[in-house]
Amino acid sequence: MTMKSKNSSISLVVAGALGRMGAEVVKSIAMASDCQLVGAVDTTPGKEGLDVGIELGLGPMGVSLTSDLEACLCMASQQVRDLGPGQGSVLVDFTHPSVVYEHTRAAIAYGVHPVIGTTGLSSDQLKDLSVFAEKACIGSAVIPNFSIGMVLLQQAAAAAASFYDHAELTELHHNQKADAPSGTCIKTAEIIEDLGKSFNHSDVKEEESLSCSRGGLRESGLRLHSIRLPGLVAHQEVMFGSNGETYTLRHDTIDRSAYMPGVLIAVRKVRNLEGLVYGLERLI
Ligand code: NAD
């Protein structure tokens, strides 16, 4: 692995570096000429002090794994302290919902720009982080889905919704996913609902002989369906119906590398943001 010049690069700390997403991020940083990995944090037992590149099969990267996020943030902020505005370090976090709020707050407190992929922040936590980021003047990004294709699907769904009164949403994921429906599917529903109309008025009285057969019903009338199977990664379908036609939008994430262009966009833009930005659609 060739070392890149630190002064011309964005200095990055990756939290969750040994996880499925974190490992992809480390790999992308290693290949990006304008990015420099300066810290790798992970709590996997027995990995303290080991070279993250070697652990991920990328060859030596000269960055040791640590479980101490704060020490890593402190080091990263000191390294770029004198480089001036828009030059701070960046934390990319793909860890666990139980720690993401503390990680984001700590990054802002240390003057490190957070790019947060970990899901699970509540709307109150988001509001609190938004106020904190603005007070601290630290550009921050919370991106619940880094897929550019998903942003395009949501934009197309919003455009189609004004022409259709009937729509159903289906999200399909691997069977290790604990929550349903997915946050991204809920977001798609919310984007469609921004039009302020209701959907799926029915002339018949529907009855389910097996409960939940018709999916989850939202106040707007939209119905959400969740499928969990091994073999799936992350997929979403929005199906509109009208007399004599259906219109189906579908997005398939086949591999986690699909998220990396979105991650790099956020990494390259976050230092120049004012306050906290939520959602990739605000960055592209
Ligand atoms: P994973 O379990 O494979 O990886 C998480 C890693 O974080 C593990 O290596 C674990 O040891 C480490 N970790 C846990 N707690 C930690 C802590 N306190 N400090 C440092 N490291 C810690 O999970 P994953 O599939 O990589 O997903 C991680 C998160 O990213 C989840 O919340 C998931 O929903 C989210 N995710 C977001 C997107 C997106 O586009 N925003 C895409 C996929 C997954």
Side-chain angles (χ1 to χ4, degrees):
M1 190 76 24
T2 52
M3 297 299 286
K4 290 167 264 186
S5 145
K6 283 192 177 157
N7 285 341
S8 60
S9 299
I10 305 168
S11 297
L12 286 129
V13 173
V14 176
L18 295 180
R20 284 167 290 201
M21 289 296 289
E24 281 294 335
V25 175
V26 171
K27 210 189 298 177
S28 298
I29 292 171
M31 289 187 304
S33 57
D34 60 344
C35 295
Q36 173 80 39
L37 187 72
V38 297
V41 186
D42 204 288
T43 49
T44 304
K47 301 294 181 184
E48 196 77 26
L50 299 180
D51 187 294
V52 66
I54 293 177
E55 284 305 296
L56 296 178
L58 304 170
M61 291 177 81
V63 176
S64 299
L65 281 156
T66 174
S67 57
D68 191 343
L69 177 78
E70 289 217 10
C72 221
L73 291 173
C74 183
M75 172 274 298
S77 69
Q78 282 173 359
Q79 244 183 24
V80 294
R81 202 175 37 188
D82 302 324
L83 292 180
Q87 298 301 307
S89 304
V90 174
L91 166 75
V92 179
D93 190 290
F94 282 103
T95 54
H96 193 270
S98 59
V99 292
V100 60
Y101 173 77
E102 283 74 20
H103 282 193
T104 314
R105 243 193 116 83
I108 296 169
Y110 278 99
V112 173
H113 300 268
V115 169
I116 304 299
T118 309
T119 48
L121 283 169
S122 69
S123 51
D124 281 350
Q125 288 176 327
L126 270 170
K127 267 185 221 151
D128 178 67
L129 291 169
S130 188
V131 170
F132 189 42
E134 203 169 323
K135 262 193 209 157
C137 295
I138 295 296
S140 308
V142 176
I143 313 290
N145 194 317
F146 278 103
S147 157
I148 291 168
M150 183 54 70
V151 173
L152 297 176
L153 177 143
Q154 288 170 336
Q155 289 173 348
S162 51
F163 298 99
Y164 292 93
D165 296 328
H166 294 260
E168 306 227 358
L169 286 72
T170 306
E171 53 92 353
L172 309 90
H173 280 85
H174 55 85
N175 63 342
Q176 300 304 305
K177 186 169 177 62
D179 56 317
S182 73
T184 303
C185 193
I186 292 172
K187 176 109 190 276
T188 309
E190 287 169 352
I191 289 168
I192 293 172
E193 287 160 353
D194 278 347
L195 279 175
K197 68 185 222 183
S198 57
F199 293 86
N200 300 333
H201 293 289
S202 173
D203 296 334
V204 296
K205 184 173 173 343
E206 290 186 356
E207 274 176 34
E208 290 177 330
S209 57
L210 181 63
S211 76
C212 305
S213 304
R214 289 285 291 112
L217 176 64
R218 287 177 65 86
E219 221 172 286
S220 63
L222 287 179
R223 286 185 184 274
L224 274 54
H225 308 264
S226 296
I227 291 173
R228 298 287 176 267
L229 284 173
L232 292 169
V233 181
H235 317 257
Q236 195 179 129
E237 209 169 86
V238 184
M239 193 167 183
F240 295 95
S242 180
N243 286 343
E245 67 164 357
T246 60
Y247 175 47
T248 305
L249 298 165
R250 183 174 168 113
H251 179 260
D252 297 286
T253 307
I254 297 151
D255 186 89
R256 287 178 180 81
S257 58
Y259 298 114
M260 294 307 120
V263 171
L264 289 177
I265 286 172
V267 161
R268 288 173 180 138
K269 292 197 173 174
V270 69
R271 301 184 301 172
N272 294 313
L273 295 177
E274 283 177 16
L276 185 144
V277 162
Y278 182 75
L280 190 64
E281 65 280 9
R282 301 272 159 78
L283 297 180
I284 57 177

